[in-house]
Amino acid sequence: MSESVEDRRIFPRAEVILAGRVDGNLRKKDCAVMDISLTGAKLEFDNPITGEIIETLRFSQSAALNVSVAWDHGTNVGVNFTDAPHDIANVLEPLLPKSCFEPFDNKS
């Protein structure tokens, strides 16, 4: 029996619906953040973005987080955060439930 994606995750994901904006290919594009953890997020776009480069993700009035695309399924895109974990935690702390930070707190 193979382990599930959830079993392999270092940090728990929270299902959310947040407004986000990505920047890449010299343009900005709005998206919805559907789930998020300290390591990455699932983004949803109005139109497929296949082949576009995404460099940063920003939430309203937050610092931009550097990202890399982990997977791309047309209008749904998974990104990994590439900033230092502490910097990511500082940006996401007001957006995520405390349970998402427990593994991070235990590693500090």
Side-chain angles (χ1 to χ4, degrees):
M1 194 184 270
S2 66
E3 65 182 342
S4 72
V5 171
E6 287 301 320
D7 292 335
R8 292 188 308 245
R9 289 206 165 114
I10 297 169
F11 296 103
R13 269 192 192 246
E15 289 186 17
V16 296
I17 299 179
L18 299 170
R21 176 168 274 204
V22 296
D23 192 358
N25 285 17
L26 303 176
R27 63 187 210 155
K28 295 176 180 3
K29 193 164 200 152
D30 292 329
C31 63
V33 180
M34 305 307 290
D35 70 33
I36 192 166
S37 75
L38 290 179
T39 56
K42 177 182 176 185
L43 312 178
E44 187 172 294
F45 295 88
D46 289 336
N47 299 301
I49 64 156
T50 302
E52 291 194 34
I53 296 170
I54 299 174
E55 296 171 341
T56 62
L57 171 62
R58 178 186 307 269
F59 306 97
S60 66
Q61 301 179 2
S62 79
L65 292 170
N66 293 306
V67 298
S68 64
V69 174
W71 52 267
D72 178 350
H73 298 285
T75 58
N76 292 307
V77 175
V79 295
N80 292 322
F81 297 124
T82 59
D83 291 306
H86 196 277
D87 293 338
I88 297 164
N90 285 337
V91 171
L92 297 182
E93 186 173 20
L95 304 173
L96 295 177
K98 188 133 184 90
S99 62
C100 290
F101 296 91
E102 288 171 2
F104 181 74
D105 294 339
N106 293 335
K107 293 176 191 239
S108 302

XYZ file of all heavy atoms in Angstrom:
833
model
N 0.841 -1.173 0.000
C 0.000 0.000 0.000
C 0.894 1.247 0.000
O 1.795 1.369 0.809
C -0.868 -0.034 1.259
C -2.004 0.940 1.214
S -2.944 0.940 2.764
C -4.134 -0.304 2.401
N 0.692 2.153 -0.920
C 1.524 3.351 -0.975
C 0.964 4.433 -0.061
O -0.235 4.496 0.197
C 1.618 3.863 -2.409
O 0.369 4.310 -2.846
N 1.879 5.294 0.417
C 1.432 6.357 1.305
C 0.785 7.468 0.492
O 1.124 7.697 -0.665
C 2.592 6.874 2.146
C 3.680 7.543 1.353
C 4.835 8.004 2.218
O 4.670 8.124 3.433
O 5.902 8.236 1.664
N -0.147 8.173 1.113
C -0.846 9.251 0.426
C 0.016 10.512 0.434
O 0.988 10.624 1.168
C -2.178 9.537 1.125
O -1.952 10.169 2.364
N -0.391 11.468 -0.388
C 0.298 12.748 -0.422
C 0.248 13.393 0.957
O 1.222 13.955 1.435
C -0.319 13.678 -1.495
C 0.236 15.079 -1.399
C -0.106 13.109 -2.886
N -0.900 13.303 1.627
C -1.031 13.880 2.965
C -0.033 13.267 3.940
O 0.512 13.952 4.791
C -2.457 13.701 3.498
C -3.497 14.587 2.842
C -3.218 16.077 2.983
O -2.773 16.524 4.053
O -3.428 16.801 2.000
N 0.224 11.963 3.811
C 1.170 11.297 4.701
C 2.599 11.781 4.474
O 3.419 11.749 5.378
C 1.134 9.776 4.502
C -0.165 9.164 4.969
O -0.830 9.764 5.846
O -0.522 8.092 4.456
N 2.913 12.219 3.265
C 4.268 12.669 2.933
C 4.506 14.136 3.258
O 5.631 14.596 3.231
C 4.552 12.435 1.453
C 4.651 10.968 1.095
C 5.126 10.812 -0.336
N 4.329 11.597 -1.260
C 3.562 11.102 -2.219
N 3.467 9.811 -2.376
N 2.884 11.878 -3.019
N 3.458 14.882 3.522
C 3.600 16.316 3.756
C 4.287 16.595 5.086
O 3.983 15.972 6.099
C 2.236 16.991 3.734
C 1.673 17.032 2.335
C 0.710 18.176 2.161
N 0.493 18.372 0.756
C -0.662 18.172 0.150
N -1.706 17.807 0.837
N -0.770 18.367 -1.138
N 5.181 17.551 5.088
C 5.880 17.961 6.302
C 4.964 18.823 7.167
O 4.930 18.687 8.379
C 7.158 18.743 5.941
C 8.119 17.848 5.165
C 7.823 19.304 7.184
C 9.275 18.591 4.538
N 4.230 19.706 6.523
C 3.339 20.627 7.228
C 1.907 20.412 6.753
O 1.669 20.197 5.565
C 3.732 22.080 6.949
C 5.092 22.419 7.462
C 6.174 22.512 6.612
C 5.296 22.643 8.822
C 7.438 22.832 7.083
C 6.550 22.954 9.310
C 7.624 23.046 8.438
N 0.933 20.478 7.661
C -0.470 20.317 7.263
C -0.926 21.437 6.338
O -0.471 22.562 6.455
C -1.230 20.394 8.591
C -0.229 20.399 9.674
C 1.099 20.703 9.075
N -1.809 21.089 5.422
C -2.425 22.070 4.529
C -3.749 22.509 5.105
O -4.461 21.711 5.688
C -2.667 21.456 3.157
C -1.504 21.696 2.299
C -1.746 21.396 0.857
N -0.420 21.430 0.310
C -0.018 22.327 -0.554
N -0.842 23.187 -1.064
N 1.226 22.347 -0.950
N -4.071 23.760 4.890
C -5.368 24.305 5.283
C -6.144 24.633 4.013
O -5.603 25.255 3.097
C -5.187 25.560 6.130
N -7.390 24.192 3.963
C -8.254 24.578 2.847
C -8.695 26.007 3.097
O -9.200 26.326 4.181
C -9.453 23.647 2.744
C -9.082 22.268 2.267
C -10.298 21.391 2.022
O -11.420 21.923 1.906
O -10.105 20.178 1.944
N -8.466 26.860 2.127
C -8.792 28.278 2.241
C -9.343 28.762 0.907
O -9.261 28.055 -0.092
C -7.531 29.121 2.598
C -6.973 28.760 3.956
C -6.461 28.986 1.531
N -9.877 29.926 0.905
C -10.167 30.634 -0.342
C -9.691 32.062 -0.097
O -10.338 32.838 0.588
C -11.654 30.588 -0.724
C -12.103 29.156 -0.931
C -11.878 31.418 -1.995
C -13.563 28.996 -1.285
N -8.510 32.348 -0.634
C -7.887 33.655 -0.467
C -7.610 34.262 -1.834
O -7.301 33.546 -2.779
C -6.555 33.519 0.273
C -6.581 32.938 1.681
C -5.162 32.650 2.150
C -7.258 33.915 2.618
N -7.694 35.568 -1.906
C -7.305 36.257 -3.130
C -5.793 36.345 -3.164
O -5.161 36.660 -2.156
C -7.919 37.649 -3.167
N -5.222 36.032 -4.302
C -3.783 36.115 -4.476
C -3.448 36.760 -5.795
O -4.305 36.950 -6.655
N -2.179 37.089 -5.940
C -1.691 37.641 -7.200
C -0.300 37.086 -7.437
O 0.549 37.132 -6.556
C -1.659 39.156 -7.143
C -1.070 39.772 -8.416
C -1.306 41.229 -8.447
N -2.619 41.400 -9.033
C -3.019 42.493 -9.647
N -2.242 43.545 -9.707
N -4.212 42.569 -10.179
N -0.097 36.528 -8.617
C 1.220 36.017 -8.976
C 1.884 37.001 -9.935
O 1.216 37.749 -10.642
C 1.147 34.606 -9.606
C 0.610 33.601 -8.609
C 0.341 34.596 -10.885
N 3.194 36.943 -9.937
C 3.979 37.791 -10.820
C 4.993 36.905 -11.530
O 5.640 36.065 -10.914
C 4.695 38.859 -9.997
C 5.292 39.962 -10.859
O 5.191 39.896 -12.102
O 5.860 40.905 -10.278
N 5.101 37.070 -12.806
C 6.038 36.305 -13.617
C 5.864 36.672 -15.070
O 4.890 37.313 -15.444
N 6.824 36.277 -15.898
C 6.760 36.621 -17.335
C 6.461 38.098 -17.553
O 5.771 38.464 -18.496
C 5.689 35.798 -18.061
C 6.089 34.374 -18.307
O 7.017 33.872 -17.689
N 5.381 33.712 -19.186
N 6.937 38.930 -16.657
C 6.764 40.378 -16.731
C 5.309 40.821 -16.672
O 4.955 41.890 -17.135
C 7.428 40.931 -18.000
C 8.908 40.618 -18.145
C 9.430 41.129 -19.481
C 9.698 41.240 -17.001
N 4.424 39.998 -16.059
C 3.035 40.434 -15.871
C 2.473 39.841 -14.592
O 2.968 38.858 -14.075
C 2.172 40.073 -17.072
C 2.044 38.615 -17.320
C 1.325 38.372 -18.614
N 0.612 37.117 -18.523
C -0.448 36.830 -19.222
N -0.939 37.697 -20.055
N -1.040 35.667 -19.090
N 1.423 40.464 -14.101
C 0.766 40.019 -12.876
C -0.569 39.369 -13.246
O -1.201 39.753 -14.214
C 0.529 41.195 -11.942
C 1.807 41.838 -11.434
C 1.490 43.046 -10.591
C 2.653 43.782 -10.018
N 3.966 43.443 -10.285
N -0.980 38.384 -12.446
C -2.230 37.698 -12.729
C -2.906 37.349 -11.401
O -2.265 36.830 -10.493
C -1.934 36.434 -13.525
C -3.129 35.812 -14.142
C -2.708 34.818 -15.204
C -3.896 34.611 -16.080
N -3.600 34.263 -17.407
N -4.206 37.647 -11.300
C -4.964 37.322 -10.099
C -5.285 35.835 -10.067
O -5.451 35.193 -11.112
C -6.275 38.115 -10.049
C -6.034 39.599 -9.842
O -5.045 39.963 -9.189
O -6.855 40.400 -10.343
N -5.385 35.301 -8.849
C -5.733 33.898 -8.676
C -6.456 33.720 -7.352
O -6.499 34.628 -6.524
C -4.478 33.016 -8.702
S -3.324 33.330 -7.358
N -7.022 32.552 -7.176
C -7.596 32.158 -5.886
C -6.673 31.110 -5.288
O -6.226 30.196 -5.988
C -8.992 31.581 -6.076
N -6.356 31.266 -4.016
C -5.545 30.284 -3.309
C -6.529 29.326 -2.651
O -7.335 29.740 -1.809
C -4.635 30.963 -2.267
C -3.795 29.936 -1.545
C -3.755 32.010 -2.943
N -6.477 28.047 -3.046
C -7.470 27.064 -2.612
C -7.028 26.271 -1.383
O -7.848 25.847 -0.590
C -7.798 26.107 -3.752
C -8.247 26.816 -5.013
S -9.605 27.991 -4.766
C -10.934 26.867 -4.421
N -5.735 26.020 -1.277
C -5.188 25.439 -0.055
C -3.741 25.867 0.067
O -3.120 26.281 -0.908
C -5.385 23.926 0.052
C -4.566 23.096 -0.905
O -3.431 23.482 -1.241
O -5.041 22.034 -1.308
N -3.238 25.805 1.304
C -1.917 26.370 1.550
C -1.287 25.721 2.770
O -1.993 25.275 3.676
C -2.045 27.904 1.723
C -0.699 28.583 1.685
C -2.823 28.252 2.965
C -0.798 30.085 1.519
N 0.025 25.640 2.747
C 0.789 25.174 3.908
C 2.067 25.997 3.960
O 2.276 26.889 3.125
C 1.125 23.689 3.788
O 2.162 23.491 2.845
N 2.945 25.683 4.882
C 4.212 26.407 4.969
C 5.171 26.038 3.839
O 6.200 26.682 3.667
C 4.881 26.155 6.317
C 4.179 26.797 7.509
C 4.914 26.464 8.795
C 4.064 28.300 7.343
N 4.828 25.025 3.050
C 5.711 24.638 1.949
C 5.165 24.982 0.567
O 5.928 24.996 -0.397
C 6.026 23.129 1.997
O 4.802 22.405 1.981
C 6.825 22.778 3.233
N 3.868 25.244 0.450
C 3.330 25.541 -0.867
C 1.844 25.812 -0.859
O 1.208 25.851 0.198
N 1.293 25.981 -2.062
C -0.116 26.325 -2.193
C -0.674 25.799 -3.507
O 0.057 25.572 -4.466
C -0.294 27.842 -2.138
N -1.988 25.622 -3.510
C -2.705 25.282 -4.731
C -3.437 26.535 -5.187
O -4.209 27.125 -4.433
C -3.713 24.163 -4.479
C -4.547 23.808 -5.698
C -5.553 22.732 -5.364
C -6.461 22.430 -6.529
N -7.503 21.457 -6.153
N -3.162 26.945 -6.421
C -3.746 28.154 -6.987
C -4.739 27.799 -8.073
O -4.565 26.816 -8.790
C -2.643 29.040 -7.581
C -1.412 29.291 -6.720
C -0.406 30.138 -7.495
C -1.782 29.931 -5.407
N -5.760 28.628 -8.207
C -6.745 28.444 -9.276
C -6.868 29.753 -10.053
O -7.022 30.822 -9.460
C -8.097 28.045 -8.693
C -9.114 27.681 -9.747
C -10.383 27.116 -9.134
O -10.318 26.027 -8.541
O -11.423 27.786 -9.253
N -6.805 29.630 -11.390
C -6.882 30.782 -12.281
C -8.151 30.708 -13.120
O -8.712 29.630 -13.315
C -5.661 30.819 -13.206
C -4.371 31.033 -12.473
C -3.649 29.953 -11.972
C -3.882 32.306 -12.286
C -2.466 30.154 -11.289
C -2.697 32.514 -11.600
C -1.985 31.430 -11.097
N -8.587 31.855 -13.660
C -9.760 31.880 -14.535
C -9.498 31.178 -15.860
O -10.402 30.585 -16.437
C -10.192 33.325 -14.820
C -10.814 33.988 -13.612
O -11.324 33.280 -12.717
O -10.795 35.242 -13.551
N -8.264 31.266 -16.349
C -7.879 30.670 -17.627
C -6.606 29.858 -17.436
O -5.810 30.165 -16.557
C -7.619 31.764 -18.677
C -8.854 32.586 -18.938
O -9.876 32.058 -19.330
N -8.764 33.890 -18.707
N -6.393 28.839 -18.256
C -5.156 28.065 -18.138
C -3.927 28.959 -18.282
O -3.922 29.912 -19.055
C -5.232 27.075 -19.299
C -6.674 26.989 -19.643
C -7.254 28.342 -19.330
N -2.894 28.627 -17.524
C -1.661 29.418 -17.590
C -0.483 28.549 -18.011
O 0.662 28.900 -17.781
C -1.361 30.114 -16.254
C -1.106 29.088 -15.162
C -2.467 31.063 -15.867
C -0.271 29.641 -14.037
N -0.758 27.427 -18.624
C 0.280 26.472 -19.017
C 1.434 27.175 -19.719
O 1.236 27.953 -20.645
C -0.326 25.388 -19.930
O -1.384 24.761 -19.216
C 0.707 24.360 -20.328
N 2.638 26.894 -19.247
C 3.843 27.438 -19.846
C 4.271 28.789 -19.314
O 5.361 29.252 -19.619
N 3.439 29.439 -18.502
C 3.831 30.728 -17.953
C 4.747 30.530 -16.750
O 4.636 29.554 -16.017
C 2.603 31.543 -17.539
C 1.797 32.005 -18.722
C 0.801 33.080 -18.362
O 1.091 33.904 -17.476
O -0.273 33.083 -18.963
N 5.646 31.457 -16.563
C 6.553 31.424 -15.421
C 5.909 32.184 -14.266
O 5.405 33.290 -14.453
C 7.911 32.062 -15.784
C 8.595 31.223 -16.867
C 8.797 32.196 -14.556
C 9.810 31.867 -17.469
N 5.911 31.579 -13.090
C 5.413 32.235 -11.886
C 6.598 32.368 -10.938
O 7.245 31.382 -10.608
C 4.282 31.427 -11.223
C 3.098 31.290 -12.181
C 3.855 32.071 -9.914
C 1.997 30.379 -11.662
N 6.866 33.589 -10.510
C 8.019 33.833 -9.645
C 7.635 34.191 -8.216
O 8.362 33.867 -7.284
C 8.884 34.938 -10.233
C 9.477 34.544 -11.579
C 10.156 35.705 -12.275
O 9.892 36.873 -11.927
O 10.957 35.431 -13.183
N 6.520 34.909 -8.038
C 6.108 35.315 -6.698
C 4.603 35.169 -6.522
O 3.841 35.203 -7.488
C 6.492 36.780 -6.381
O 5.822 37.647 -7.299
C 7.989 36.997 -6.443
N 4.197 35.022 -5.265
C 2.789 34.995 -4.876
C 2.624 35.998 -3.758
O 3.409 36.030 -2.818
C 2.388 33.593 -4.383
C 1.009 33.456 -3.746
C -0.110 33.790 -4.726
C 0.828 32.039 -3.185
N 1.587 36.818 -3.873
C 1.299 37.833 -2.868
C -0.172 37.758 -2.494
O -1.027 37.513 -3.338
C 1.626 39.219 -3.430
C 1.324 40.363 -2.505
C 1.540 41.712 -3.192
N 2.842 41.856 -3.790
C 3.906 42.360 -3.179
N 3.820 42.751 -1.931
N 5.045 42.458 -3.815
N -0.434 37.945 -1.217
C -1.793 38.087 -0.716
C -2.014 39.569 -0.480
O -1.061 40.327 -0.368
C -1.965 37.297 0.590
C -1.556 35.871 0.441
C -0.288 35.451 0.818
C -2.414 34.939 -0.105
C 0.108 34.146 0.671
C -2.029 33.627 -0.271
C -0.767 33.234 0.125
N -3.273 40.012 -0.374
C -3.500 41.444 -0.207
C -2.688 41.973 0.972
O -2.702 41.412 2.066
C -4.990 41.732 -0.011
O -5.437 41.188 1.199
N -1.951 43.005 0.709
C -1.144 43.712 1.702
C -0.107 42.834 2.406
O 0.248 43.074 3.547
C -2.052 44.395 2.730
C -2.994 45.386 2.093
C -3.896 46.047 3.098
O -3.831 45.824 4.287
N -4.774 46.899 2.596
N 0.371 41.789 1.755
C 1.441 40.968 2.344
C 2.699 41.118 1.503
O 2.655 41.563 0.361
C 1.035 39.486 2.406
O 1.173 38.872 1.146
N 3.802 40.712 2.083
C 5.046 40.652 1.327
C 4.918 39.549 0.274
O 4.185 38.575 0.473
C 6.208 40.346 2.269
N 5.615 39.706 -0.818
C 5.606 38.680 -1.858
C 6.460 37.503 -1.407
O 7.521 37.685 -0.818
C 6.143 39.250 -3.162
N 5.977 36.301 -1.678
C 6.726 35.079 -1.405
C 7.241 34.522 -2.728
O 6.497 34.452 -3.711
C 5.827 34.035 -0.736
C 5.362 34.362 0.678
C 4.294 33.378 1.127
C 6.547 34.337 1.635
N 8.500 34.148 -2.761
C 9.075 33.534 -3.954
C 8.558 32.106 -4.074
O 8.462 31.395 -3.074
C 10.597 33.551 -3.875
C 11.129 34.957 -3.937
O 10.826 35.707 -4.850
N 11.912 35.336 -2.947
N 8.203 31.716 -5.299
C 7.639 30.388 -5.534
C 8.249 29.760 -6.778
O 8.813 30.448 -7.634
C 6.095 30.439 -5.698
C 5.419 30.940 -4.448
C 5.687 31.289 -6.896
N 8.100 28.450 -6.860
C 8.403 27.719 -8.089
C 7.207 26.817 -8.371
O 6.549 26.339 -7.445
C 9.684 26.903 -7.944
O 9.525 25.911 -6.957
N 6.918 26.602 -9.641
C 5.777 25.766 -10.017
C 6.142 24.302 -9.799
O 7.156 23.816 -10.297
C 5.371 26.019 -11.485
C 4.287 25.049 -11.925
C 4.905 27.459 -11.663
N 5.307 23.604 -9.028
C 5.505 22.177 -8.764
C 4.731 21.331 -9.767
O 5.198 20.286 -10.203
C 5.068 21.837 -7.343
N 3.534 21.779 -10.112
C 2.716 21.084 -11.098
C 1.750 22.078 -11.723
O 1.463 23.125 -11.149
C 1.976 19.886 -10.499
C 1.176 20.182 -9.260
C 1.589 20.054 -7.967
C -0.169 20.655 -9.197
N 0.580 20.422 -7.106
C -0.519 20.787 -7.838
C -1.125 20.978 -10.150
C -1.764 21.238 -7.409
C -2.377 21.421 -9.726
C -2.686 21.542 -8.370
N 1.270 21.746 -12.920
C 0.394 22.636 -13.684
C -0.671 21.785 -14.373
O -0.346 20.933 -15.196
C 1.241 23.397 -14.706
C 0.449 24.325 -15.597
O -0.794 24.285 -15.587
O 1.083 25.102 -16.324
N -1.923 22.009 -14.000
C -3.056 21.310 -14.621
C -4.020 22.347 -15.198
O -5.190 22.398 -14.830
C -3.773 20.414 -13.605
C -2.922 19.327 -13.042
N -2.583 18.207 -13.756
C -2.306 19.202 -11.845
C -1.813 17.429 -13.020
N -1.625 18.012 -11.853
N -3.516 23.192 -16.068
C -4.361 24.184 -16.734
C -4.709 25.344 -15.826
O -3.892 26.222 -15.604
N -5.935 25.342 -15.293
C -6.345 26.445 -14.417
C -5.930 26.209 -12.961
O -6.029 27.121 -12.145
C -7.874 26.656 -14.470
O -8.527 25.451 -14.090
C -8.312 27.093 -15.859
N -5.487 25.013 -12.622
C -5.003 24.705 -11.274
C -3.500 24.504 -11.314
O -2.987 23.742 -12.138
C -5.671 23.444 -10.722
C -7.138 23.653 -10.465
O -7.527 24.586 -9.773
N -7.964 22.809 -11.034
N -2.804 25.181 -10.402
C -1.342 25.147 -10.369
C -0.883 24.983 -8.930
O -1.389 25.660 -8.031
C -0.757 26.448 -10.969
C 0.759 26.483 -10.838
C -1.179 26.599 -12.416
N 0.066 24.087 -8.722
C 0.673 23.929 -7.409
C 2.013 24.633 -7.389
O 2.798 24.524 -8.329
N 2.262 25.398 -6.327
C 3.548 26.084 -6.193
C 4.212 25.694 -4.881
O 3.543 25.396 -3.896
C 3.399 27.628 -6.262
C 2.914 28.065 -7.637
C 2.486 28.163 -5.175
N 5.531 25.692 -4.907
C 6.340 25.499 -3.702
C 6.924 26.845 -3.316
O 7.379 27.598 -4.182
C 7.504 24.527 -3.967
C 7.027 23.127 -4.206
O 6.091 22.657 -3.583
N 7.676 22.451 -5.138
N 6.926 27.143 -2.018
C 7.578 28.354 -1.540
C 9.080 28.110 -1.498
O 9.520 27.047 -1.078
C 7.064 28.737 -0.151
C 5.592 29.074 -0.131
C 4.733 28.411 0.699
C 5.084 30.068 -0.953
C 3.378 28.711 0.724
C 3.730 30.381 -0.952
C 2.873 29.702 -0.111
N 9.855 29.098 -1.922
C 11.306 28.937 -1.964
C 12.024 29.854 -0.975
O 13.251 29.809 -0.892
C 11.851 29.166 -3.392
O 11.509 30.480 -3.826
C 11.269 28.135 -4.361
N 11.287 30.678 -0.245
C 11.889 31.529 0.774
C 12.239 30.703 2.002
O 11.828 29.547 2.134
C 10.911 32.646 1.186
C 10.703 33.664 0.081
O 11.700 34.203 -0.421
O 9.534 33.916 -0.280
N 12.979 31.307 2.924
C 13.327 30.655 4.180
C 12.051 30.355 4.964
O 11.124 31.179 4.978
C 14.240 31.563 5.001
N 11.953 29.187 5.608
C 10.731 28.810 6.332
C 10.255 29.864 7.340
O 9.059 30.101 7.458
C 11.125 27.510 7.034
C 12.185 26.937 6.163
C 12.947 28.121 5.625
N 11.169 30.505 8.012
C 10.768 31.513 8.999
C 10.086 32.702 8.315
O 9.099 33.238 8.821
C 11.992 31.979 9.797
C 11.619 32.704 11.036
N 11.290 34.028 11.054
C 11.484 32.261 12.313
C 10.982 34.397 12.286
N 11.095 33.336 13.074
N 10.588 33.120 7.148
C 9.978 34.223 6.397
C 8.585 33.839 5.906
O 7.660 34.650 5.939
C 10.857 34.614 5.210
C 12.180 35.218 5.641
O 12.282 35.720 6.781
O 13.133 35.163 4.837
N 8.440 32.602 5.452
C 7.132 32.118 4.998
C 6.154 32.119 6.168
O 5.020 32.585 6.050
C 7.259 30.711 4.387
C 8.142 30.764 3.148
C 5.887 30.132 4.058
C 8.635 29.413 2.687
N 6.584 31.617 7.305
C 5.725 31.564 8.495
C 5.273 32.960 8.903
O 4.106 33.154 9.276
C 6.456 30.878 9.647
N 6.156 33.947 8.819
C 5.778 35.317 9.191
C 4.672 35.864 8.295
O 3.771 36.547 8.763
C 6.993 36.245 9.145
C 7.926 36.034 10.310
O 7.529 35.534 11.362
N 9.173 36.416 10.125
N 4.736 35.572 7.002
C 3.716 36.056 6.065
C 2.407 35.295 6.249
O 1.316 35.877 6.228
C 4.209 35.940 4.603
C 3.077 36.239 3.618
C 5.388 36.871 4.364
N 2.489 33.971 6.463
C 1.273 33.147 6.507
C 0.603 33.092 7.877
O -0.542 32.670 7.974
C 1.596 31.727 6.044
C 2.078 31.594 4.593
C 2.304 30.136 4.259
C 1.091 32.236 3.632
N 1.288 33.517 8.917
C 0.730 33.397 10.276
C -0.680 33.960 10.411
O -1.553 33.300 10.973
C 1.668 34.046 11.293
C 1.206 33.813 12.723
C 2.215 34.306 13.726
O 3.073 35.152 13.387
O 2.132 33.850 14.871
N -0.982 35.153 9.854
C -2.355 35.655 10.008
C -3.381 34.937 9.116
O -4.576 35.122 9.289
C -2.249 37.129 9.626
C -0.947 37.312 8.954
C -0.089 36.137 9.259
N -2.919 34.102 8.180
C -3.820 33.479 7.211
C -4.165 32.029 7.527
O -5.138 31.504 6.992
C -3.185 33.527 5.816
C -2.776 34.910 5.299
C -2.025 34.775 3.992
C -3.993 35.803 5.141
N -3.352 31.361 8.359
C -3.508 29.929 8.583
C -3.865 29.622 10.033
O -3.468 30.351 10.937
C -2.208 29.190 8.241
C -1.772 29.217 6.794
C -0.433 28.515 6.640
C -2.804 28.565 5.912
N -4.567 28.501 10.247
C -4.835 28.079 11.628
C -3.534 27.687 12.331
O -2.558 27.270 11.693
C -5.759 26.873 11.475
C -5.783 26.531 10.050
C -5.162 27.629 9.261
N -3.511 27.832 13.621
C -2.324 27.542 14.430
C -1.813 26.113 14.221
O -0.618 25.870 14.259
C -2.640 27.778 15.906
C -1.440 27.697 16.791
C -1.415 28.873 17.731
C -0.183 28.888 18.578
N 0.923 29.595 18.005
N -2.719 25.172 13.956
C -2.315 23.771 13.767
C -1.343 23.605 12.600
O -0.554 22.657 12.577
C -3.533 22.886 13.560
O -4.232 23.277 12.384
N -1.362 24.515 11.633
C -0.448 24.429 10.489
C 0.991 24.747 10.878
O 1.914 24.435 10.140
C -0.899 25.366 9.379
S -2.414 24.825 8.567
N 1.182 25.370 12.030
C 2.516 25.787 12.460
C 3.130 24.841 13.485
O 4.294 24.975 13.818
C 2.468 27.204 13.047
C 2.072 28.217 12.027
C 0.743 28.568 11.838
C 3.027 28.824 11.226
C 0.377 29.488 10.890
C 2.670 29.756 10.270
C 1.347 30.093 10.098
N 2.369 23.885 13.993
C 2.877 23.009 15.061
C 4.140 22.257 14.644
O 5.099 22.245 15.404
C 1.775 22.073 15.533
C 0.724 22.820 16.332
C -0.503 21.997 16.644
O -0.560 20.805 16.269
O -1.417 22.561 17.256
N 4.224 21.652 13.463
C 5.497 20.984 13.099
C 6.659 21.981 13.028
O 7.769 21.681 13.390
C 5.214 20.374 11.727
C 3.727 20.216 11.690
C 3.190 21.384 12.468
N 6.385 23.210 12.551
C 7.418 24.244 12.459
C 7.870 24.634 13.864
O 9.055 24.769 14.126
C 6.869 25.466 11.711
C 7.871 26.570 11.543
C 8.900 26.450 10.621
C 7.793 27.710 12.303
C 9.819 27.472 10.449
C 8.716 28.731 12.144
C 9.722 28.612 11.218
N 6.917 24.821 14.768
C 7.233 25.185 16.151
C 8.083 24.131 16.815
O 8.981 24.428 17.593
C 5.957 25.420 16.957
C 5.177 26.644 16.464
O 5.791 27.513 15.807
O 3.964 26.712 16.725
N 7.844 22.851 16.513
C 8.599 21.760 17.113
C 10.019 21.658 16.572
O 10.881 21.081 17.190
C 7.890 20.416 16.902
C 6.589 20.356 17.662
O 6.400 21.046 18.670
N 5.674 19.539 17.184
N 10.263 22.214 15.357
C 11.593 22.147 14.750
C 12.457 23.321 15.158
O 13.632 23.340 14.906
C 11.473 22.113 13.223
C 10.847 20.847 12.725
C 10.664 20.912 11.236
C 9.793 19.772 10.803
N 10.356 18.887 9.886
N 11.846 24.359 15.735
C 12.597 25.571 16.089
C 13.541 25.328 17.232
O 13.393 24.539 18.062
C 11.632 26.700 16.453
O 10.775 26.949 15.393
